[in-house]
Amino acid sequence: MSVLPGRTVVYAYPRTSPANEGPIEGWDLIPGARGCTPQSCAFRDHFSELQVAGAHAVFGLSTQSTAFQAEAAERLHLPFALLSDEKLELTKAMDLPVFEAGGLVLLKRLTMIIRGGVVEHVMFPVNDPAKNAEDVIEYLKQAK
């Protein structure tokens, strides 16, 4: 088993709408669903601050396909990878919270701080996706 050194930040989010499609019907009515792109962009914009605060790696995570995640990371100019749990293997193994929309099983928004392969802190729920990166920075600064 491979373990990343230092602290790793993994923020889980429901889904990013494809560039040529709108959101799932009724998406805006689902509490906590909206805000995936602003969340990813905030982690992008605060990436160097996250590193200074102690994050050795940052990843986004959703149940969308690997190909879609790679396209979204490129489209959003992210300096980190978006991971796919399309088969829900990690979601089931860690009993991550999910919901269903548009016939899809989607992750509820949460952020894990992992150190030495062990989850040391979980932010759940994440009520303000655009502020999540700033909250992670504050946590990392106080947890040093």
Side-chain angles (χ1 to χ4, degrees), residues 51-70:
Q51 291 177 311
V52 168
H56 289 123
V58 174
F59 299 100
L61 172 70
S62 83
T63 59
Q64 291 172 286
S65 73
T66 299
F68 180 84
Q69 295 292 72

Side-chain angles (χ1 to χ4, degrees), residues 11-16 35-37 39-40 59-64 68-69 72 78 82-83 99 106-110:
Y11 66 96
Y13 59 95
R15 72 188 303 267
T16 302
C36 301
T37 299
Q39 184 178 24
S40 289
F59 299 100
L61 172 70
S62 83
T63 59
Q64 291 172 286
F68 180 84
Q69 295 292 72
L78 302 180
L82 296 177
L83 307 176
F99 67 100
L106 305 170
L107 290 166
K108 289 186 178 181
R109 196 177 311 281
L110 65 94

Side-chain angles (χ1 to χ4, degrees), residues 114-138:
I114 302 165
R115 186 180 204 171
V118 176
V119 177
E120 84 173 30
H121 185 71
V122 176
M123 295 177 175
F124 179 77
V126 173
N127 294 317
D128 186 349
K131 191 175 173 293
N132 187 210
E134 294 172 40
D135 294 338
V136 171
I137 291 166
E138 288 308 309

